[in-house]
Amino acid sequence: MNGVKAAPVDLLHVRAASQRIHGWVHRTPVFTCQALDDMAGRELYFKAENLQKTGAFKARGACNAVFLEKERNPNCVGIVTDSSGNHAQGVAYASKCVDLDCTVVLPRGAPKVKCDAIRGYGAELVFCDPTPTARKKMSAKIANETGKTIISSSDNYDVMAGQGTIALELLEEVPDLDAVLVSTSAGGMLAGIAVAVRALRPQCRVYAVEPVGKGLQKCLEAKERLWPNPSRFLNTIADSIRLQAIGELTFPIICDYADSKVFTVTDDQMVEGMKLTFERMKLVVEAASGAAVYAAVHMMDEVQPPPRKVGVILCGGNTDLDNLPWLTRSTTYN
């Protein structure tokens, strides 16, 4: 032993997660689009997690964490989590796979399409005030009263390892990527992907994409949590990336493995990215995916040297088709 502390998440954990969840999640396709390449002036490779089980990448981390909990604790009475929707669906699905009861805490006002899907996987829904603090307090209360295990949406190393499997698949298909764009909320996907990419292709840079108001870049540059405490939800159409602050466990990993440059995207720009994906690629994506698409098409010249080959994570497709943002918002989009 040399006294060096092992990393909480590394490539071995990600590879183990890939084997553990194999057969329970999809190996999602990587799409290209000549029209978007021409607009961007570079090659774009879209990892279609909108076609994943439960409609979002979250099924990967949820399955890895829930399956591991079942292995470690055969007497586990169930799982509880708090989420705006996508992680909740993933945990509900994973719990159903291994016959565990599941309770999901959601903020009031969570999209109906996501609530209906969570119920469809057999989970119990509990609603709370729409703040991060209220969600965590309710999850802790339920866990204390029932003995269920909390599976955080991002602040869980097993979840991060599961999300890192996205990068394994993407780099197997496109091994010479120069950059990967990851829409970011609490940072579980960003952390997992950044760890895997650093190990497999160190010259490839992993960038976060954020909604207005998150302020992640200044935190990464300072390597310090500069967000208010308690954190809050941002005012954005992208319900799956509303959390202002990165998670306590994910932040140090992101500081070490992701690039400090962050692409900040407005709601209008997210909508443009969604529409481009709908119209040019015929893929249904949610606003968080639209954020990454917009950054890939319009913002990559902000970094030097500009990357030639860019991976874009289409993180989810759980969009309420009765409330598409360009139909319900007053702004006119070109």
Side-chain angles (χ1 to χ4, degrees):
M1 299 294 292
N2 58 12
V4 177
K5 185 179 179 180
V9 182
D10 59 23
L11 185 61
L12 291 177
H13 295 115
V14 176
R15 291 196 185 282
S18 181
Q19 294 180 354
R20 187 172 296 109
I21 66 180
H22 178 74
W24 298 99
V25 301
H26 296 313
R27 181 187 176 98
T28 53
V30 176
F31 292 118
T32 59
C33 177
Q34 188 61 54
L36 295 187
D37 284 0
D38 291 343
M39 292 176 67
R42 54 188 45 85
E43 297 175 32
L44 305 179
Y45 297 88
F46 299 89
K47 181 64 168 164
E49 289 297 293
N50 58 311
L51 302 180
Q52 185 53 265
K53 291 281 190 180
T54 75
F57 76 95
K58 293 285 192 177
R60 295 175 181 267
C63 281
N64 191 50
V66 172
F67 294 177
L68 269 172
E69 175 62 23
K70 180 77 169 182
E71 292 174 19
R72 294 165 178 160
N73 181 14
N75 296 319
C76 178
V77 299
I79 303 296
V80 61
T81 193
D82 63 270
S83 167
S84 63
N86 283 340
H87 176 68
Q89 290 180 66
V91 170
Y93 165 74
S95 298
K96 183 177 181 180
C97 290
V98 290
D99 297 319
L100 285 174
D101 287 338
C102 179
T103 301
V104 172
V105 177
L106 293 101
R108 294 187 187 93
K112 182 177 183 297
V113 64
K114 296 184 179 182
C115 295
D116 290 345
I118 296 163
R119 290 191 183 96
Y121 293 118
E124 176 190 10
L125 272 62
V126 176
F127 293 93
C128 68
D129 291 338
T131 69
T133 300
R135 282 178 19 176
K136 292 184 182 301
K137 284 184 176 180
M138 182 62 74
S139 293
K141 180 176 183 291
I142 293 170
N144 184 60
E145 292 175 351
T146 65
K148 291 182 177 180
T149 301
I150 295 175
I151 301 291
S152 167
S153 62
S154 293
D155 258 351
N156 179 301
Y157 296 127
D158 299 329
V159 168
M160 296 179 217
Q163 318 304 26
T165 62
I166 298 169
L168 293 185
E169 296 175 8
L170 179 58
L171 287 174
E172 283 176 7
E173 300 225 13
V174 194
D176 55 346
L177 285 176
D178 301 311
V180 180
L181 294 177
V182 185
S183 292
T184 302
S185 184
M189 176 169 58
L190 179 61
I193 287 177
V195 164
V197 169
R198 175 70 65 85
L200 294 169
R201 184 168 169 77
Q203 63 269 52
C204 179
R205 301 167 76 178
V206 178
Y207 297 103
V209 181
E210 66 175 8
V212 172
K214 190 174 187 70
L216 176 57
Q217 182 166 320
K218 65 181 181 180
C219 297
L220 293 180
E221 290 172 344
K223 294 189 181 297
E224 183 179 352
R225 301 180 62 85
L226 302 175
W227 297 285
N229 188 17
S231 184
R232 61 184 179 91
F233 286 135
L234 299 172
N235 182 19
T236 173
I237 62 169
D239 64 281
S240 62
I241 53 172
R242 292 169 59 202
L243 283 172
Q244 182 184 34
I246 294 291
E248 295 283 348
L249 299 184
T250 54
F251 184 68
I253 296 172
I254 292 166
C255 285
D256 288 343
Y257 292 97
D259 200 278
S260 60
K261 166 64 179 174
V262 176
F263 296 97
T264 303
V265 180
T266 68
D267 280 2
D268 288 355
Q269 291 168 339
M270 291 181 203
V271 170
E272 183 177 334
M274 289 178 73
K275 292 188 73 175
L276 284 172
T277 313
F278 274 58
E279 294 171 352
R280 302 291 183 157
M281 301 181 69
K282 314 308 177 188
L283 293 173
V284 175
V285 297
E286 56 192 75
S289 298
V293 172
Y294 183 89
V297 172
H298 293 295
M299 304 176 81
M300 297 311 296
D301 285 333
E302 293 181 14
V303 297
Q304 297 297 326
R308 183 174 58 90
K309 290 188 172 184
V310 179
V312 185
I313 311 302
L314 301 179
C315 54
N318 291 316
T319 296
D320 186 347
L321 297 181
D322 291 326
N323 292 285
L324 292 170
W326 53 87
L327 300 179
T328 57
R329 288 162 60 80
S330 60
T331 306
T332 299
Y333 302 98
N334 296 321

